[in-house]
Amino acid sequence: MEYLDIYDENGKFLGTEERGVVHSKGLWHKTVHCWLYDRDGNVFFQRRSDRGTLYTTSSGHLSAGESVTEAFQREIKEEIGLDIDASDATKVGVVPFQMDRVKEDGSIFKDRAFANVYVDLYEGNYEDFQMDENEVSGIVIVSAKDALDLFQKESGSILGREISLDNTMIEREISFSEFLVNDGETALEKYGDVLKKIVELTSK
């Protein structure tokens, strides 16, 4: 059973609660959004196994008592199989996120999270990815600048590279519609700050 630290809407620590209760009652908790990039200004998106859409490099809940750095390293290891040192990861921001959705059993999944968004330079080999096929079906690598342009236009496609579960890499066009964007969001709002930070860090 997984326990999460819980907070009020202002970020004041209240205690811990079981993860299922957190989402049934809509209690505030912390998540981490992990983004990897390379020195050439490329950003790594994971392709989700459940929906086939592109999202963060990795992401998930902070367990009770866990630091953001610890959660970053754990999520990257669990989802894409990399052992990394995230102690020098760059903070992009903390984004409050609220969304309710109806589950298949008819119950309401209530998400109230403070998303800790961080980017970290990856200088390893693409062959080292060991993706958890239950979570991830591929890794897509695109230019952060190109992605920004795409999200501003909200249509079209950009050239990227996709790494499959067997670590085969192909070059292909990545369309705007492949990126995960929830109702009420825009791609630029969802990913823009991360992409701008990566452009800033790789332009120095």
Side-chain angles (χ1 to χ4, degrees):
M1 189 173 290
E2 183 181 3
Y3 283 83
L4 309 178
D5 290 333
I6 58 172
Y7 304 82
D8 67 15
E9 63 273 16
N10 297 312
K12 180 182 177 182
F13 176 70
L14 298 178
T16 62
E17 186 54 89
E18 193 270 319
R19 176 172 172 168
V21 175
V22 168
H23 285 297
S24 65
K25 292 186 175 180
L27 304 176
W28 284 94
H29 57 286
K30 291 183 178 180
T31 61
V32 61
H33 288 193
C34 317
W35 291 92
L36 298 182
Y37 68 96
D38 65 22
R39 290 196 180 276
D40 294 324
N42 297 307
V43 58
F44 297 67
F45 284 84
Q46 65 168 249
R47 188 177 294 283
R48 299 294 300 161
S49 293
D50 53 356
R51 300 169 68 176
T53 49
L54 302 177
Y55 191 41
T56 58
T57 311
S58 182
S59 59
H61 295 80
L62 269 71
S63 299
E66 189 175 36
S67 71
V68 173
T69 297
E70 290 169 338
F72 191 118
Q73 293 175 175
R74 176 179 55 77
E75 290 293 342
I76 290 287
K77 177 63 174 178
E78 289 177 356
E79 294 190 1
I80 59 177
L82 297 178
D83 290 303
I84 66 167
D85 177 3
S87 60
D88 60 348
T90 300
K91 181 178 181 179
V92 178
V94 178
V95 181
F97 176 81
Q98 297 187 59
M99 184 179 70
D100 295 344
R101 61 179 172 85
V102 181
K103 297 168 63 176
E104 290 184 358
D105 62 6
S107 62
I108 306 297
F109 181 90
K110 301 178 181 179
D111 209 357
R112 306 284 186 276
F114 296 108
N116 292 263
V117 184
Y118 281 72
V119 299
D120 197 30
L121 177 66
Y122 179 64
E123 298 185 281
N125 297 315
Y126 300 154
E127 294 81 7
D128 293 337
F129 287 105
Q130 299 178 42
M131 293 168 249
D132 177 0
E133 63 183 19
N134 295 314
E135 297 271 356
V136 184
S137 62
I139 297 291
V140 168
I141 305 166
V142 294
S143 159
K145 287 182 179 179
D146 289 350
L148 269 175
D149 290 341
L150 180 68
F151 295 157
Q152 287 169 345
K153 293 185 294 186
E154 296 191 325
S155 65
S157 64
I158 55 177
L159 189 62
R161 292 166 289 164
E162 182 154 8
I163 305 170
S164 60
L165 290 173
D166 64 1
N167 287 73
T168 301
M169 179 185 286
I170 61 170
E171 192 172 272
R172 59 181 292 268
E173 290 288 326
I174 310 296
S175 70
F176 175 77
S177 62
E178 294 181 59
F179 294 88
L180 174 63
V181 182
N182 296 309
D183 291 341
E185 299 177 328
T186 69
L188 195 59
E189 291 170 344
K190 193 173 187 70
Y191 304 117
D193 288 345
V194 166
L195 300 174
K196 290 173 185 174
K197 177 58 72 173
I198 290 172
V199 171
E200 174 191 328
L201 290 170
T202 56
S203 297
K204 295 179 179 179

